Amino acid sequence: MTTLRVAALATSALLALSPYARADITRPEAHFGFRMGTDGLLAGSEAIERYFERVAEESDRVKIVDLGATTEGHRTIAAIISAPQNIRRLEEIRAANQRLGDPRTLSAAEATRLAASQPTVVAIGASIHASEIGATQAANELLYALTSSEDPSVLAVLKNVVVILIPSLNPDGHRLVVDWYQRTKGTSFEGGPMPWLYH
């Protein structure tokens, strides 16, 4: 399954979600108190981490992993999202991908067999630039769509794909931008750049 097809199906999942959504997965607006993308409202890093953890507790389609500490000592998390049977065998999938990562160690026949027996792994890293906060906000909706949808096309994607969703590649910068926006909201500085160097 191509990356483009995965992206198209994930987008269609977001657009056609409501008739096929599981009721036992918390919607983003129920957790944050507003719908992602609402003018003037932003979800902060801690709230996003709590939402990802909450959905992981509610769904057998997701596992949260820590990628390591940021420069300022905060978490960088990823949600590994797939069909439950793939979540249960993540170590096997990881090991197969490591073997495929060095073609010098495999014959062509073995590489073909191994690739055909494993799901595709797609990594989505959101918002590497601190002021580009839209993707980090949207990651909450994508997590919800992939873990709650019962649409057959979405379930087919999850059976064949392991999605690694990193809600922010720059959690420190996201914190700074959201904090600055909250501090200046309603003032003449709202929407303006921070008056100090940041990363």
Side-chain angles (χ1 to χ4, degrees):
M1 184 168 288
T2 68
T3 302
L4 185 58
R5 179 151 167 76
V6 171
L9 287 171
T11 302
S12 69
L14 288 170
L15 296 175
L17 188 62
S18 55
Y20 301 104
R22 290 172 46 182
D24 59 336
I25 307 298
T26 302
R27 298 180 71 90
E29 57 265 32
H31 176 80
F32 296 103
F34 60 91
R35 183 148 190 219
M36 297 293 101
T38 301
D39 284 347
L41 297 174
L42 294 175
S45 291
E46 290 85 0
I48 292 170
E49 289 170 11
R50 287 193 302 272
Y51 181 65
F52 271 57
E53 295 282 4
R54 181 176 186 174
V55 172
E57 290 174 8
E58 297 170 342
S59 174
D60 59 357
R61 299 181 193 174
V62 61
K63 177 182 179 180
I64 302 299
V65 295
D66 277 282
L67 302 179
T70 67
T71 304
E72 296 181 3
H74 298 291
R75 294 173 74 195
T76 305
I77 64 167
I80 302 174
I81 311 160
S82 193
Q85 61 268 30
N86 290 334
I87 295 295
R88 287 190 295 270
R89 64 182 197 99
L90 285 176
E91 182 54 35
E92 175 190 331
I93 294 167
R94 185 192 66 77
N97 276 274
Q98 282 187 321
R99 290 189 67 205
L100 287 167
D102 186 353
R104 297 169 300 178
T105 64
L106 296 172
S107 67
E110 176 65 4
T112 300
R113 184 200 65 75
L114 202 55
S117 68
Q118 301 300 320
T120 300
V121 178
V122 176
I124 301 171
S127 301
I128 193 168
H129 300 118
S131 59
E132 296 170 0
I133 49 97
T136 291
Q137 304 295 299
N140 300 288
E141 293 286 348
L142 181 56
L143 175 69
Y144 175 72
L146 294 177
T147 57
S148 69
S149 179
E150 293 296 337
D151 184 287
S153 64
V154 175
L155 297 178
V157 169
L158 293 174
K159 181 179 177 184
N160 294 292
V161 179
V162 174
V163 177
I164 303 171
L165 177 59
I166 306 166
S168 178
L169 291 169
N170 185 354
D172 292 341
H174 185 264
R175 280 175 172 79
L176 289 169
V177 168
V178 171
D179 289 348
W180 174 249
Y181 178 75
Q182 301 295 4
R183 286 174 52 192
T184 60
K185 190 175 172 181
T187 74
S188 59
F189 296 104
E190 181 176 341
M194 287 182 283
W196 51 75
L197 184 64
Y198 67 98
H199 56 34

